[in-house]
Amino acid sequence: MSATHAPARIGALWQQRMETMREYEVVRDGNVFGSSFSNNVVFSSDYEKAHNQLDALVEKYRNVPFDTVFSGTEVFNERGVCYCLKCRQSIKIPLFDLDRFRSDIMGDLTLVHGIGPGKEAWLRAKGYRTLQDLMQHPKFRSYTHDVLTCLYDGNSAEIMNLIGCRHAKSHPYVLGTAGLHEPENYVFLDIETLGLFSRPVILFGVGMIEDGYLAVHQYLLRDIDEEQAALMATIDHMSGDRPALVTFNGKSFDLPYLSDRLAYYGMGPPTKIPHFDVLHFSRRRWKNFFPSLRLAALETEILGIHRKDDIPGQMVPEFYETYLRTENCGPLVPIIEHNKQDVVSLALLFFHLLGESYGCR
Amino acid sequence: MAVADVIRLLCTNPVYRNRVVHVEISEPEPPRFGTLAVPLDDTLESYLDQHRIRLYSHQCEAINRIRTGKNVILTTSTASGKTLAFNIPVFEKLKSDPEARALYLYPTKALSNDQLFTLVQMAQFTGISARPAIYDGDTPQSKRAAIRENSRVIISNPHELHQVLSWHAKWRPFFSNLRLIVIDEAHRYRGVFGSHIALLLRRLVRLCHFYGSSPQFILSTATLANPLEFAGKLTGQPFELVDDDGSPHGRKHFILYNPFYDGIGERSTYQETKDLLVSCVKDNLQVLCFTGSRKMAELVTLWAREDARRISARLAESISAYRAGYLPEERRLIERQLKEGTMKGVVSTNALELGIDIGSLDAVIIAGYPGTMMSTRQQAGRAGRKGGESLAILVAMANPLDQYFMNHPHHFFSCSHEHAIIDTGNPYIVSGHLLCAAAELPLHDDRDQEYFGESFYEILPELESSDLLRKTSRGWVYSGRGRAADAVRLDGIPGSTFRILCHGRLLETMDRAQAYREAHKGAIMLHQGEMYVVNEMDLETHTVRVTETDVDYYTQPLKKVDLTIIETSETRMINGVRCFFGDVEVTEQYTGYKIKRKDTIIGVELLVLPPLTFRTKAFWFIPAPDTEQRIEHLQLDLAGGLHGAEHAIIGLMPLHVMCDRWDIGGLSSPAFGENCEPMVFVYDGYEGGIGLAEKAYELLPALFSSAHELVRDCRCDEGCPSCIYSPKCGNDNQPLDKEAAVLILRDLCTFTEKSECPVLSGESGQAFL
Ligand SMILES: [Zn+2]
Ligand SMILES: [Zn+2]
């Protein structure tokens, strides 16, 4: 029958409700238990600092036009337009010792179905030292044949899959398959979002190796309307020649999030490409060394990087919302910086781990 | 037969005889069987043979109609085999279309488990690959993907569905092949909750359309007055009704038993219930007794055991309480003892309505009308399931509704008057689901309005200006801070919620209105049958702190109500009385509370709480000047008459429109507005309205005449809790005048020549207060 007119306070009512829903918890400083227990905590000093910083930024950038702060370019594609910021920085890429990796793999009899560590030791004692040797074994010949076919003819994804099925997904051999790619194939990805699920991605950071440098392309949403174009531009990077994706926690966060947003706009999922999740390899390597395995913690411990004026990743939504609401571009500055540093540290950490395992000595 | 013995006792024993105000006998019905338009295939046929099932007429009718692709609603009785009537066509569909999927929605875990068991058995027997599985909050993360991919029948609940929809990309194989949605116990989705579910289903259908499917709906409900309207509002689609029950039943005796037959009631409803229980058990009947609360279930059990012990210890042992909080082992034991016959009497809260099968019993005793005719029928249906002779007794309370039934048995046994209400137009509810929908897929101006109704275009810009949505070239995109589905509670209207904490543990959450009413400082509140006292209400942090208590008094809030008419949208004349429907703004101010022991006030405390203001829907009427003059002439109190009429009308609202007494509010005034006319208002107690006053406005003549009968036929002189006293009156039942109330109500129901009076000039769209 008659619909009540939507009262003016309906929006305010929901907004109030949303205000009370924070997806992180503020814990008192030094609460290491709290911080290692969950990814979604912010120390109260960081929280305070970030809020002061936000106020300062809004003040500093009042009435400052967007174009004078950022010098990006517009990118056009079939989904519209978005804004891209580019920068470059030098990076040391370790030389990959392919021979050592090959000999490790060839000597790994457990890659063959039916052979565990015990059986492997027994076979070795009998003189079967490599997969080639196993081709002489009456019982394991046919399985070994399959393995060798994959190793000789398969692409890195198939080889990674083969190793990943017989070992933990974070095994150094799995990481080693990254060496089957040229450095130019790596796509380093890190996204900033408006929340944990089902909300827009507001910044896509993509790193690539170009002429021995690390080039970072950041697709920034000047408005939510630009998300589709930015999504498209980002997945374009993943469809080049033999691309390999490198992320930090991307298997559980960045990649499903991208698929979700693509589906939201009725676009298909990104093509499946080899994916190296540095979090998994880091966890295996440093689990008992450091209390926290978050990217920001590792970059300090391993790479000696100390961020200045960084904001906690969990607080990115508040900063971006302030930008959307006020059109003051100040709050974007630390978001972009934070994301850029995430991509750079991700690349450095990845090469560090790869170098440790298979760098030329 | 033992049933006959007990009935003879009740009708002859001098104590019982007077209280038995009515015995309704329904004669036994033999089964009626039906035929299918197209026979079942062999596997399903042999499934029925194996279980010795021959399909009843209503089952065949349902199957025939479902097969044609029509949406079907089934409203036959509790034990009539509704489940089979929809499981068969679901399995046929799974067999004929190897990609087809089906979704079953159940309101409770216990019902989901029962259905899973049935479906697994059916799948095993027929070899049809249904791979049924439950997908809900308890489903481990590790199993979820496999269920989404492989299960062709998924059983879930509305809360889970609400959370899951934003992950639709993962559900693509399921949604794109979803052919059937079965909603069992659909009558539970009414009122605020039902209105939420209706919009949730719109979201589901929208996603299905996006993935290229348009599933057919099958609903099963208890008896309603408006099944087709209800089904249409719940799902947004047209339906066909199957209600002609072909299942058999034995001779049934239904007794209306009134402890207050003399207008006094020397023993309480529960004492009388205990006596009846013991009499039945003594006569070797197996009996199930329903009480309103857990505490009363325990008490009635205790008393009954004491009485029975005087006869034998064994008899005392054969009486037990049974409630939701019991451990599974305890429940299993009672269920087993019932089946073996060693357990004679079980006392339970209404929780037993929920599908747990304890087999058939000889008698059911219902202590107090359970609120709806629907629940009454379901509870009474527990007696005589296997077709033998059976007995059901309703033991009345003193309240108006119970007493109305006692004095007007024909109303109790005639067809259902209860309308289940769903309102898909409440902008507060709609806006929440628009946020969720916009987080699922961008909302399209042209395509999506059809799912969300008239207010669609008005609400979206509102949400945009609050930064919750952004308009893009692809449609409206959700951009709020919290996850939309987490912000929308399926059982409430948005606004601030209060958390009720006991020793730091969260007991429950309440919306502001409920918290002010039930959880103000000093209030004695009940939570799942336990008693708590409120120590502190913090308005800043929206936190209420309570501790357990056990006292023999209770509290009752006092409030002032102010009301302004915003817009009159409809008017009608009923027997010469002007009646209106429209939008009002209500301000409720809680000013204090009374502390009472039984009916005695032992204290009054003041409360300082900010006023609650909300816009809602209301109906109201202006008694004719003649009525007013007569009341004056007889030197009766007009204000007391209007107030009494208001209470009586509100008291009998649930007879016609399914609702809880807290869902509606009222106001009466002998001189309202600038014309100083006598008026009575009845409004929905929720921001935006939920369709109760709207439905009641349609049914006003019936509502008025039942209210009139109630007050006229009450044996009291000056008004009592059975007619015009209201336990929720914020005015402490002052003033009240029964005679004036009867006059006002009588004039609402009988056409008399009343002197013409001009219709108010400022009525169309203009406030006149
Ligand atoms: Zn009375
Ligand atoms: Zn009152």
Side-chain angles (χ1 to χ4, degrees):
Chain A
M1 261 160 70
S2 58
T4 310
H5 296 295
R9 56 213 163 96
I10 216 163
L13 213 69
W14 282 111
Q15 209 182 22
Q16 254 176 36
R17 182 86 161 227
M18 298 294 175
E19 296 278 286
T20 64
M21 299 175 56
R22 234 196 268 125
E23 286 179 326
Y24 58 84
E25 229 179 295
V26 181
V27 300
R28 80 188 145 73
D29 289 18
N31 184 345
V32 183
F33 175 73
S35 67
S36 59
F37 191 65
S38 155
N39 240 340
N40 299 312
V41 298
V42 175
F43 287 125
S44 55
S45 64
D46 292 341
Y47 178 79
E48 292 290 319
K49 210 179 95 198
H51 269 280
N52 293 337
Q53 195 182 346
L54 182 58
D55 294 342
L57 284 164
V58 169
E59 194 50 47
K60 183 173 167 195
Y61 286 87
R62 196 178 299 274
N63 300 321
V64 180
F66 187 93
D67 294 335
T68 62
V69 182
F70 304 109
S71 51
T73 49
E74 292 193 323
V75 175
F76 295 86
N77 58 36
E78 56 178 279
R79 288 279 169 163
V81 60
C82 66
Y83 191 74
C84 180
L85 292 151
K86 293 182 186 172
C87 67
R88 214 176 217 230
Q89 81 168 64
S90 58
I91 190 164
K92 229 178 117 248
I93 302 166
L95 222 49
F96 187 79
D97 191 341
L98 194 57
D99 290 338
R100 188 146 53 86
F101 178 62
R102 278 211 182 106
S103 82
D104 277 358
I105 296 296
M106 283 306 172
D108 180 7
L109 306 187
T110 65
L111 288 180
V112 176
H113 181 78
I115 301 180
K119 185 67 127 287
E120 183 183 42
W122 182 78
L123 285 165
R124 277 182 196 283
K126 294 254 168 187
Y128 297 97
R129 296 182 181 285
T130 67
L131 292 169
Q132 282 100 335
D133 294 346
L134 265 189
M135 284 301 284
Q136 311 305 320
H137 192 285
K139 200 172 142 206
F140 291 112
R141 189 187 304 147
S142 81
Y143 283 139
T144 309
H145 179 261
D146 295 346
V147 171
L148 286 173
T149 311
C150 176
L151 291 176
Y152 289 139
D153 304 336
N155 59 30
S156 66
E158 286 157 351
I159 296 172
M160 190 172 160
N161 198 21
L162 171 82
I163 301 172
C165 281
R166 303 293 298 163
H167 294 290
K169 299 259 190 295
S170 58
H171 196 276
Y173 290 177
V174 176
L175 177 62
T177 58
L180 304 174
H181 289 267
E182 296 303 324
E184 287 72 20
N185 297 147
Y186 300 138
V187 179
F188 301 97
L189 176 75
D190 184 68
I191 59 173
E192 307 303 326
T193 67
L194 268 188
L196 291 178
F197 321 96
S198 4
R199 267 148 290 163
V201 179
I202 48 123
L203 181 60
F204 304 72
V206 181
M208 293 144 293
I209 302 299
E210 284 175 7
D211 313 323
Y213 285 88
L214 176 66
V216 180
H217 291 193
Q218 288 175 286
Y219 299 97
L220 170 72
L221 271 56
R222 290 172 299 186
D223 192 351
I224 302 298
D225 197 14
E226 298 186 334
E227 190 185 9
Q228 305 160 66
L231 272 165
M232 178 128 235
T234 303
I235 58 167
D236 271 350
H237 287 285
M238 296 191 231
S239 58
D241 183 35
R242 297 182 5 93
L245 185 63
V246 185
T247 63
F248 197 87
N249 196 26
K251 286 200 171 164
S252 359
F253 185 72
D254 303 65
L255 203 57
Y257 209 116
L258 279 191
S259 304
D260 212 44
R261 293 314 287 173
L262 288 163
Y264 179 76
Y265 291 110
M267 298 151 87
T271 30
K272 275 207 153 63
I273 58 172
H275 181 174
F276 299 92
D277 190 331
V278 177
L279 172 63
H280 296 190
F281 302 113
S282 303
R283 199 177 274 153
R284 186 183 179 98
R285 173 70 180 77
W286 291 303
K287 191 165 70 189
N288 298 318
F289 293 82
F290 311 122
S292 165
L293 291 172
R294 292 155 75 175
L295 183 59
L298 288 177
E299 73 182 14
T300 309
E301 301 283 359
I302 308 299
L303 309 170
I305 294 171
H306 296 275
R307 298 194 189 196
K308 204 162 75 47
D309 296 333
D310 189 36
I311 55 168
Q314 298 90 329
M315 292 181 71
V316 164
E318 279 154 270
F319 276 59
Y320 190 81
E321 270 174 13
T322 308
Y323 156 73
L324 272 187
R325 200 173 59 241
T326 61
E327 290 180 27
N328 178 318
C329 61
L332 295 177
V333 175
I335 299 180
I336 290 165
E337 199 43 50
H338 171 91
N339 174 256
K340 192 202 296 170
Q341 188 58 54
D342 276 357
V343 175
V344 171
S345 293
L346 164 65
L348 290 172
L349 207 59
F350 172 71
F351 286 130
H352 178 95
L353 282 163
L354 197 57
E356 261 191 1
S357 298
Y358 288 108
C360 285
R361 282 162 188 164
Chain B
M1 255 314 279
V3 169
D5 292 343
V6 172
I7 292 168
R8 198 173 311 117
L9 172 77
L10 293 177
C11 296
T12 52
N13 177 301
V15 179
Y16 290 138
R17 197 176 52 206
N18 292 325
R19 291 164 171 76
V20 173
V21 295
H22 186 87
V23 183
E24 181 87 4
I25 297 169
S26 60
E27 293 304 326
E29 288 273 358
R32 280 180 290 133
F33 299 104
T35 45
L36 292 174
V38 178
L40 295 175
D41 78 4
D42 293 346
T43 49
L44 286 165
E45 190 68 62
S46 58
Y47 174 82
L48 295 187
D49 288 346
Q50 168 84 15
H51 292 79
R52 296 166 201 271
I53 294 170
R54 197 173 149 200
L55 294 174
Y56 299 128
S57 53
H58 65 277
Q59 291 174 316
C60 290
E61 192 190 347
I63 295 167
N64 287 336
R65 284 175 193 257
I66 293 167
R67 280 169 168 180
T68 64
K70 298 280 177 16
N71 299 315
V72 169
I73 174 168
L74 265 153
T75 64
T76 52
S77 64
T78 320
S80 64
K82 283 188 277 198
T83 307
L84 187 67
F86 53 72
N87 280 346
I88 286 178
V90 167
F91 271 76
E92 282 185 332
K93 188 59 151 187
L94 296 180
K95 190 167 187 198
S96 67
D97 174 355
E99 289 300 317
R101 312 283 183 109
L103 175 67
Y104 283 58
L105 289 180
Y106 275 91
T108 69
K109 189 93 196 162
L111 290 170
S112 294
N113 284 329
D114 286 356
Q115 182 58 265
L116 178 67
F117 182 74
T118 311
L119 290 170
V120 166
Q121 272 198 327
M122 240 177 125
Q124 265 167 6
F125 189 93
T126 60
I128 296 169
S129 67
R131 292 184 290 267
I134 294 180
Y135 194 105
D136 64 15
D138 298 335
T139 309
Q141 210 62 39
S142 57
K143 294 203 172 142
R144 294 184 162 230
I147 295 175
R148 288 194 302 261
E149 307 274 313
N150 304 325
S151 289
R152 297 178 65 207
V153 179
I154 289 182
I155 305 169
S156 192
N157 61 63
H159 294 282
E160 183 66 18
L161 188 63
H162 175 56
Q163 293 300 329
V164 143
L165 290 185
S166 65
W167 302 104
H168 55 87
K170 294 183 175 178
W171 287 81
R172 185 189 190 118
F174 190 82
F175 287 158
S176 54
N177 293 297
L178 186 54
R179 299 285 172 265
L180 288 156
I181 300 174
V182 175
I183 307 179
D184 204 351
E185 296 272 298
H187 53 266
R188 287 171 184 276
Y189 308 130
R190 60 179 195 266
V192 173
F193 185 47
S195 306
H196 275 289
I197 304 308
L199 287 154
L200 173 66
L201 292 173
R202 303 294 190 283
R203 282 160 54 202
L204 171 64
V205 168
R206 172 175 174 253
L207 289 173
C208 288
H209 288 169
F210 176 75
Y211 287 112
S213 68
S214 38
Q216 176 186 356
F217 280 95
I218 304 171
L219 266 57
S220 124
T221 70
T223 313
L224 303 173
N226 60 338
L228 287 173
E229 178 193 58
F230 172 76
K233 287 208 169 170
L234 188 64
T235 64
Q237 312 212 6
F239 269 78
E240 292 191 354
L241 173 65
V242 175
D243 63 352
D244 188 11
D245 200 332
S247 64
H249 61 78
R251 186 185 307 275
K252 290 180 178 177
H253 306 260
F254 203 123
I255 293 181
L256 298 184
Y257 188 91
N258 192 2
F260 306 92
Y261 72 101
D262 52 0
I264 302 163
E266 59 195 75
R267 319 196 56 194
S268 78
T269 303
Y270 291 110
Q271 289 284 350
E272 300 261 9
T273 299
K274 179 263 297 172
D275 292 346
L276 290 167
L277 172 63
V278 174
S279 294
C280 286
V281 170
K282 256 190 342 205
D283 251 333
N284 210 23
L285 292 194
Q286 272 198 317
V287 55
L288 181 58
C289 177
F290 290 100
T291 61
S293 74
R294 214 156 97 176
K295 193 166 180 171
M296 287 327 297
E298 302 286 354
L299 273 181
V300 169
T301 310
L302 196 75
W303 298 336
R305 283 180 158 216
E306 271 168 25
D307 273 17
R309 195 160 292 123
R310 281 183 223 133
I311 298 158
S312 80
R314 214 166 124 219
L315 196 65
E317 287 303 303
S318 73
I319 299 171
S320 166
Y322 180 109
R323 59 176 163 81
Y326 281 5
L327 295 172
E329 305 86 79
E330 295 174 294
R331 293 177 176 223
R332 293 296 99 82
L333 178 68
I334 296 172
E335 284 167 19
R336 208 185 60 227
Q337 290 172 330
L338 270 170
K339 276 176 193 149
E340 288 167 353
T342 49
M343 186 61 74
K344 294 288 177 215
V346 171
V347 189
S348 169
T349 60
N350 298 351
L352 250 194
E353 273 180 66
L354 311 181
I356 303 144
D357 192 23
I358 54 165
S360 62
L361 295 158
D362 303 308
V364 163
I365 303 171
I366 305 169
Y369 180 65
T372 63
M373 207 51 165
M374 213 170 57
S375 307
T376 313
R377 287 208 177 93
Q378 282 191 322
Q379 292 181 357
R382 289 279 177 179
R385 280 188 160 203
K386 278 184 189 145
E389 195 162 6
S390 67
L391 168 67
I393 307 173
L394 173 66
V395 187
M397 303 261 201
N399 68 57
L401 206 49
D402 285 37
Q403 289 305 311
Y404 179 77
F405 287 133
M406 292 299 134
N407 293 327
H408 306 93
H410 62 283
H411 276 282
F412 189 79
F413 294 104
S414 65
C415 66
S416 173
H417 301 288
E418 289 173 332
H419 292 73
I421 303 303
I422 279 177
D423 184 358
T424 52
N426 178 308
Y428 295 88
I429 297 179
V430 174
S431 57
H433 289 274
L434 283 174
L435 291 175
C436 295
E440 285 148 16
L441 287 175
L443 276 173
H444 252 262
D445 274 338
D446 334 323
R447 278 205 304 265
D448 290 330
Q449 190 265 334
E450 60 166 306
Y451 300 104
F452 299 101
E454 288 171 42
S455 49
F456 184 81
Y457 295 117
E458 265 182 81
I459 295 174
L460 292 180
E462 259 304 313
L463 297 173
E464 187 193 29
S465 67
S466 309
D467 301 311
L468 298 170
L469 295 183
R470 296 296 272 199
K471 192 161 193 175
T472 77
S473 61
R474 288 263 150 179
W476 301 83
V477 172
Y478 178 68
S479 62
R481 179 186 300 177
R483 189 164 170 262
D486 289 342
V488 176
R489 260 178 47 193
L490 293 183
D491 54 2
I493 305 273
S496 34
T497 35
F498 279 70
R499 300 183 310 147
I500 316 294
L501 302 179
C502 182
H503 307 302
R505 186 173 55 89
L506 182 69
L507 278 190
E508 60 177 311
T509 58
M510 290 183 181
D511 61 32
R512 186 188 289 273
Q514 191 189 0
Y516 281 14
R517 188 172 69 226
E518 294 171 22
H520 56 78
K521 190 171 168 26
I524 299 294
M525 58 167 255
L526 285 174
H527 171 76
Q528 292 191 347
E530 304 295 332
M531 206 182 260
Y532 298 86
V533 60
V534 176
N535 304 318
E536 184 195 353
M537 173 182 245
D538 186 335
L539 296 173
E540 288 277 301
T541 59
H542 295 178
T543 311
V544 174
R545 281 173 225 288
V546 304
T547 43
E548 301 91 342
T549 192
D550 188 13
V551 294
D552 63 349
Y553 61 85
Y554 61 99
T555 55
Q556 204 175 15
L558 295 170
K559 71 174 176 193
K560 276 201 338 239
V561 178
D562 272 322
L563 186 147
T564 317
I565 298 169
I566 303 295
E567 185 181 338
T568 306
S569 32
E570 286 176 53
T571 56
R572 67 189 283 195
M573 289 292 261
I574 297 173
N575 297 320
V577 176
R578 286 173 296 152
C579 302
F580 308 82
F581 173 73
D583 294 356
V584 297
E585 184 167 283
V586 177
T587 302
E588 296 184 342
Q589 169 105 53
Y590 286 90
T591 54
Y593 64 95
K594 281 181 299 185
I595 304 166
K596 289 172 115 178
R597 183 179 290 128
K598 296 246 166 63
D599 286 328
T600 322
I601 299 170
I602 55 176
V604 178
E605 297 282 336
L606 292 181
L607 281 177
V608 183
L609 286 170
L612 284 165
T613 300
F614 56 95
R615 288 195 179 187
T616 184
K617 304 282 191 185
F619 72 77
W620 62 95
F621 61 87
I622 305 174
D626 276 7
T627 311
E628 205 183 329
Q629 281 156 21
R630 203 156 340 128
I631 288 172
E632 250 166 59
H633 180 74
L634 293 168
Q635 293 189 318
L636 300 173
D637 177 19
L638 178 63
L642 292 166
H643 192 195
E646 173 210 326
H647 282 182
I649 288 168
I650 291 177
L652 287 190
M653 271 274 279
L655 181 63
H656 305 273
V657 179
M658 262 188 258
C659 59
D660 189 74
R661 60 153 49 112
W662 299 115
D663 294 340
I664 35 185
L667 175 77
S668 54
S669 164
F672 186 89
E674 61 185 23
N675 293 33
C676 291
E677 291 177 287
M679 290 206 204
V680 173
F681 292 85
V682 175
Y683 56 83
D684 289 3
Y686 294 92
E687 186 94 63
I690 50 161
L692 302 175
E694 183 174 333
K695 187 54 148 185
Y697 179 74
E698 269 178 49
L699 305 171
L700 279 183
L703 176 57
F704 288 159
S705 66
S706 55
H708 176 228
E709 288 167 353
L710 167 77
V711 186
R712 181 195 63 195
D713 299 343
C714 189
R715 286 173 190 78
C716 69
D717 294 327
E718 313 218 295
C720 71
S722 299
C723 57
I724 55 175
Y725 279 64
S726 161
K728 64 169 286 201
C729 181
N731 244 353
D732 198 20
N733 286 306
Q734 297 290 335
L736 283 177
D737 185 326
K738 184 180 173 186
E739 223 182 315
V742 173
L743 265 176
I744 293 167
L745 290 168
R746 190 196 66 194
D747 284 359
L748 286 173
C749 306
T750 38
F751 188 81
T752 46
E753 276 306 317
K754 290 165 185 136
S755 48
E756 278 304 307
C757 64
V759 170
L760 270 179
S761 57
E763 259 169 8
S764 49
Q766 190 178 329
F768 59 85
L769 185 74

